[in-house]
Amino acid sequence: MLRSVQMKDYMLANPVKVKPSDDVFEAIHQLLVYRVSGVCVVDDTDKLVGVLSELDCLRAILSSVYNKNPVGKVSEYMTKEVISVKLQDNIVDVATDMMLHKHRRRPVISDDGTLIGQVTCRQLLRAVKDFAAPDNP
């Protein structure tokens, strides 16, 4: 029997997040401590303003070494144009769109733009496993 396809049942409710004013090394620390490949970037009111990936951090470090400058702030390297999803979105539709755009994660936001979660490929794999083999552990 097909289980839930609701975002709330598969999203991470407390995604790792940083501020645009944070140093890139602080973001790298978060990536390493929480063993994630990207973080959400939020303002002081928890509104989503971007995402920062491992590749963004590598770009920051390499740019710093090449240009002999300090690494800089998250705001300088984050992706600002982010495709986000809403709590009521169908997880199958989200998964299809993530594959189409080759995205590994999507922030989940409320109607006012506040970050409330994140869905990643790992959660999507769990959902697919539940759909394919609902009685298996």
Side-chain angles (χ1 to χ4, degrees), residues 8 14 42 60 93 100 107 112 124 136:
K8 69 181 175 97
N14 295 308
V42 296
D93 294 338
L100 177 68
D112 69 354
L124 295 174
N136 291 340

Side-chain angles (χ1 to χ4, degrees), residues 10 12 98 104-106 118-125:
Y10 291 98
L12 295 170
M98 285 174 64
R104 297 182 48 80
R105 74 193 60 76
R106 289 277 168 91
Q118 179 172 254
V119 66
T120 68
C121 292
R122 188 163 297 148
Q123 282 76 46
L124 295 174
L125 287 172

Side-chain angles (χ1 to χ4, degrees), residues 10-125:
Y10 291 98
M11 73 173 196
L12 295 170
N14 295 308
V16 180
K17 53 191 173 183
V18 297
K19 305 277 186 195
S21 59
D22 286 348
D23 186 84
V24 170
F25 282 118
E26 173 57 29
I28 292 170
H29 177 74
Q30 298 298 322
L31 292 172
L32 296 172
V33 166
Y34 292 102
R35 297 179 181 205
V36 294
S37 62
V39 294
C40 295
V41 184
V42 296
D43 65 14
D44 291 332
T45 62
D46 261 0
K47 298 276 193 291
L48 180 70
V49 295
V51 294
L52 186 77
S53 70
E54 291 170 317
L55 289 176
D56 295 328
C57 292
L58 281 173
R59 184 169 41 99
I61 291 171
L62 292 174
S63 175
S64 170
V65 169
Y66 180 78
N67 295 312
K68 298 180 182 175
N69 291 328
V71 172
K73 303 294 181 190
V74 167
S75 62
E76 299 172 50
Y77 298 97
M78 69 184 193
T79 300
K80 296 175 185 166
E81 293 182 22
V82 179
I83 300 174
S84 59
V85 298
K86 300 285 181 87
L87 198 56
Q88 63 270 20
D89 289 348
N90 180 298
I91 199 163
V92 175
D93 294 338
V94 171
T96 302
D97 195 59
M98 285 174 64
M99 286 179 39
L100 177 68
H101 288 93
K102 297 182 180 177
H103 290 167
R104 297 182 48 80
R105 74 193 60 76
R106 289 277 168 91
V108 181
I109 60 170
S110 65
D111 289 335
D112 69 354
T114 302
L115 180 69
I116 57 173
Q118 179 172 254
V119 66
T120 68
C121 292
R122 188 163 297 148
Q123 282 76 46
L124 295 174
L125 287 172

